[in-house]
Amino acid sequence: MHIDKTNDITRRVMMRRALGLAMTGTALPLAMNLAAFGEAAAFDNSDYKALVCVFLYGGSDHNNTLIPYDLDNYDRYHAIRGGGPGRTAGHIAVARADLSATALTPLASQTLTDDLRYALNPQMTGLKSLFDAGKAAIQLNVGPLMTPLTLAQFNSPNRVLYPLPPKLFSHNDQQSVWQSLASEGSTIGWGGRIGDLAMSSNNRSILTCISAAGNAVFVSGDQALQYQISPNGAVAINPLQTGLYGSQAAGDALRTLITRTSSHVLEDEFTRVTRRSIEMEGIVNAALSPVSLNTAFPANNSLAAQMRIVARLIGARNTLGAKRQVFFVSLGGFDNHDLLMENHPALMRQVSDAMTAFYNATVELGVANKVTAFTASDFGRTLSSNGNGSDHGWGSHHFVVGGAVNGGRYFGTAPHISIISDDQVGQGRLLPSTSVDQMGATLARWFGVSNSELPTVLPNIGRFGSSNLGYFS
C-alpha cells in the first residue's frame, strides 16, 4: 500500500502551499517555498553529503544511450532498429564503427546476459572517461514497480496480486511516479522525504531540498519545502530591486505592502514568508559571491548551467551551514517519436558534458566522495523503430556518478536484445528487473537514511529482495 503523509502536513505548511498556488505566475510563489517550520527528527550527520537527481524529461531512448557492441547483440539491435547495410547507420540504429571510442570495459570482469558488451552513445565521451576511471556506474533496466513482476504476471488480469504502476506509458504520470512513487498530482517526492529526515542537520532547513529546474515534486517533502534557485543565484522579487513600473518609489511601496505585519492571520502569514524570502535571497547570494570555479562548464547547455549553480551552492555549504542537501536539475527534449537520430545525440552530449563538468567541479571543491549524481527519466523507449523514432517504454538504463561510487561496472540484469523475450512487454519495452524503490533506497542509505527509516521514504521497498544494490563501498 502506498504511504502518503499529505494529511499530516501542518496547518501552516498547508497555508503556505495554498498561497503559493494562488500566486502562480509571479515572483512571490518562490517566497512560499522558503518557510519550512518544525525540524524533522533525522539521522545523525557529522559530514557533508549531497544527492543530485538529473531528470531527463520526455523519456530518454536508452537503446541509443547504451548500445550493444559485441557483434551478435549489435546485429540484433541493428536489425530491429532498421540499420543500413554492413552495420552502417540507418533508421534509428547507430553505426557500429562509430562506437569504438565509447566501448565500455568494466574494471572488474562481468558477464552480462547473452555475453552482451556495451558502448555508450558516441557523444558521451565524458561519461565514458568517468566509467573508465571508476567514477560512474550504470544501473541496467530500472523502472517503477509496485512489486516484482514476470511477463506472465504482467499479463495477468489479477491486479490485486500483481499491481502495476499507475498509468504506465503516460509522460506526466511516469515523471511523477519516478519522482514521488505516485501518479500526477502527488505533492511529496522521495527526495523530499529524505529531506524531511535531514532537515535538522542544517542550520537553515530551507536549504535542504533545492531545485535549479523550477517546480519539481522530487524535492518536495512533508516539511521540507523546495527552495528554487536560478543558474545565476537566488531568485529575486524583481520590482523590489529595479522599481515597479519604472518607479523606485512604487517598488518601495510594494516592499512595504508585502512585508508589513498585519492583524489578519492569512495576510500576516503571507508577509512573514515574504520577509523570509527576501532575507534568504541576500543570505544565499552573499554566500555564493566568493565561490568561483576553475572547472569549465560547457556554454549553451542548460543542464550544465543548472549543475554549475548546484556546484557553487555546495562550495558555499559551510557558509550556509549545510550538512545534507538534495538537489534537482533537469533537461527536456527526450520525447523522440520523430527525428531521434537528429535530436538525441546532441541531448546525450549535453548530459555527458554537464555531468562530467559537475564531477570535475566536486573534485575541485574537495567533495567528490561526498556528492552523488544520478539520472532518471519518464521511462525508456521501444527497441523497435516507428520509422523515424521510438515510442514510450518502461524500464531504462541510468547512470550513478560520484567519487564514492563503485564505478566502472554495471548493476542489475541486462535485458535481451529482443522484441519477443520475456523481459519485455511488447516492441522491446523493458519490463524492469530493478525497481525505482531499490535504486532510491541504495542512494538514501548512502545519504544517511537508516534501515528503519527506508519504508517512510520508499513505501514499496519491503516488497523487493534488496534495499542495497551495491553502488557504494
Side-chain angles (χ1 to χ4, degrees):
M1 178 178 294
H2 174 68
I3 298 174
D4 189 345
K5 296 167 66 181
T6 302
N7 292 332
D8 296 332
I9 298 172
T10 66
R11 176 185 62 82
R12 288 184 173 178
V13 172
M14 291 177 69
M15 190 178 300
R16 289 180 184 83
R17 289 184 175 171
L19 287 169
L21 290 171
M23 294 299 294
T24 298
T26 73
L28 293 179
L30 179 67
M32 301 304 102
N33 289 330
L34 295 180
F37 289 86
E39 300 287 356
F43 41 72
D44 282 336
N45 305 302
S46 57
D47 58 354
Y48 179 83
K49 283 187 179 178
L51 191 62
V52 184
C53 176
V54 181
F55 204 89
L56 312 179
Y57 280 107
S60 181
D61 188 292
H62 64 279
N63 299 292
N64 276 9
T65 301
L66 193 63
I67 304 168
Y69 186 65
D70 65 281
L71 291 181
D72 287 346
N73 286 295
Y74 178 83
D75 286 345
R76 295 183 187 111
Y77 155 89
H78 188 261
I80 292 169
R81 300 217 118 185
R87 299 187 177 116
T88 59
H91 290 284
I92 60 169
V94 177
R96 188 174 185 275
D98 293 340
L99 300 176
S100 58
T102 52
L104 300 176
T105 301
L107 296 180
S109 179
Q110 289 185 277
T111 301
L112 302 181
T113 303
D114 298 330
D115 294 321
L116 262 163
R117 187 183 175 200
Y118 283 115
L120 292 178
N121 186 284
Q123 298 296 318
M124 304 186 81
T125 54
L127 278 175
K128 150 75 172 171
S129 296
L130 291 182
F131 185 91
D132 290 348
K135 306 306 179 183
I138 297 171
Q139 173 61 59
L140 299 168
N141 193 13
V142 58
L145 289 168
M146 304 296 290
T147 189
L149 288 175
T150 65
L151 181 60
Q153 291 166 345
F154 170 82
N155 289 324
S156 169
N158 191 338
R159 290 295 163 242
V160 174
L161 284 179
Y162 310 120
L164 299 179
K167 300 181 182 178
L168 276 175
F169 317 127
S170 158
H171 281 295
N172 292 351
D173 290 284
Q174 294 312 300
Q175 290 163 10
S176 181
V177 170
W178 252 100
Q179 294 183 37
S180 72
L181 309 176
S183 58
E184 185 180 14
S186 178
T187 58
I188 301 176
W190 57 269
R193 291 191 181 101
I194 293 173
D196 287 337
L197 298 172
M199 285 170 62
S200 63
S201 306
N202 299 327
N203 291 348
R204 295 181 177 90
S205 60
I206 191 58
L207 297 179
T208 304
C209 292
I210 301 177
S211 173
N215 188 51
V217 70
F218 177 75
V219 281
S220 181
D222 187 351
Q223 297 180 62
L225 303 186
Q226 59 178 294
Y227 179 85
Q228 295 178 23
I229 196 160
S230 80
N232 296 318
V235 180
I237 302 175
N238 287 330
L240 303 186
Q241 307 293 325
T242 61
L244 182 64
Y245 303 120
S247 168
Q248 188 57 53
D252 293 342
L254 175 64
R255 179 186 294 270
T256 299
L257 285 171
I258 64 176
T259 60
R260 68 184 180 184
T261 58
S262 172
S263 59
H264 189 284
V265 174
L266 289 175
E267 183 179 343
D268 193 56
E269 189 73 10
F270 177 85
T271 58
R272 189 157 71 94
V273 174
T274 303
R275 289 195 300 272
R276 178 170 290 196
S277 172
I278 296 168
E279 177 189 9
M280 286 303 300
E281 176 201 342
I283 290 170
V284 170
N285 284 338
L288 286 171
S289 180
V291 181
S292 60
L293 294 170
N294 293 320
T295 300
F297 281 75
N300 302 315
N301 182 328
S302 64
L303 180 61
Q306 294 169 52
M307 299 196 83
R308 185 175 186 275
I309 193 62
V310 169
R312 291 183 64 209
L313 283 165
I314 291 171
R317 65 196 180 280
N318 292 332
T319 302
L320 295 172
K323 290 288 190 181
R324 288 291 193 275
Q325 292 181 291
V326 183
F327 295 95
F328 182 89
V329 297
S330 73
L331 182 65
F334 289 90
D335 194 20
N336 300 135
H337 293 281
D338 302 300
L339 302 176
L340 175 67
M341 297 297 282
E342 290 79 3
N343 296 333
H344 193 252
L347 293 168
M348 289 291 93
R349 179 164 187 166
Q350 289 183 68
V351 172
S352 178
D353 288 355
M355 295 189 74
T356 303
F358 179 74
Y359 173 78
N360 291 338
T362 65
V363 173
E364 178 186 344
L365 293 167
V367 293
N369 288 345
K370 306 298 183 182
V371 180
T372 299
F374 67 98
T375 61
S377 189
D378 316 16
F379 34 62
R381 301 189 79 88
T382 56
L383 179 58
S384 62
S385 170
N386 64 18
N388 197 24
S390 56
D391 295 323
H392 298 180
W394 190 356
S396 187
H397 309 318
H398 285 291
F399 298 95
V400 183
V401 177
V405 173
N406 286 325
R409 69 195 71 199
Y410 306 102
F411 292 90
T413 303
H416 297 282
I417 307 303
S418 171
I419 58 173
I420 59 173
S421 55
D422 60 5
D423 54 6
Q424 57 84 48
V425 297
Q427 296 182 276
R429 292 183 174 92
L430 295 184
L431 174 59
S433 51
T434 299
S435 72
V436 173
D437 291 76
Q438 291 174 288
M439 184 176 185
T442 305
L443 295 165
R445 286 163 62 106
W446 169 80
F447 192 78
V449 176
S450 68
N451 287 338
S452 63
E453 292 167 326
L454 281 178
T456 69
V457 174
L458 300 141
N460 296 316
I461 191 61
R463 297 178 176 179
F464 299 95
S466 175
S467 62
N468 186 353
L469 300 176
Y471 301 158
F472 307 99
S473 298

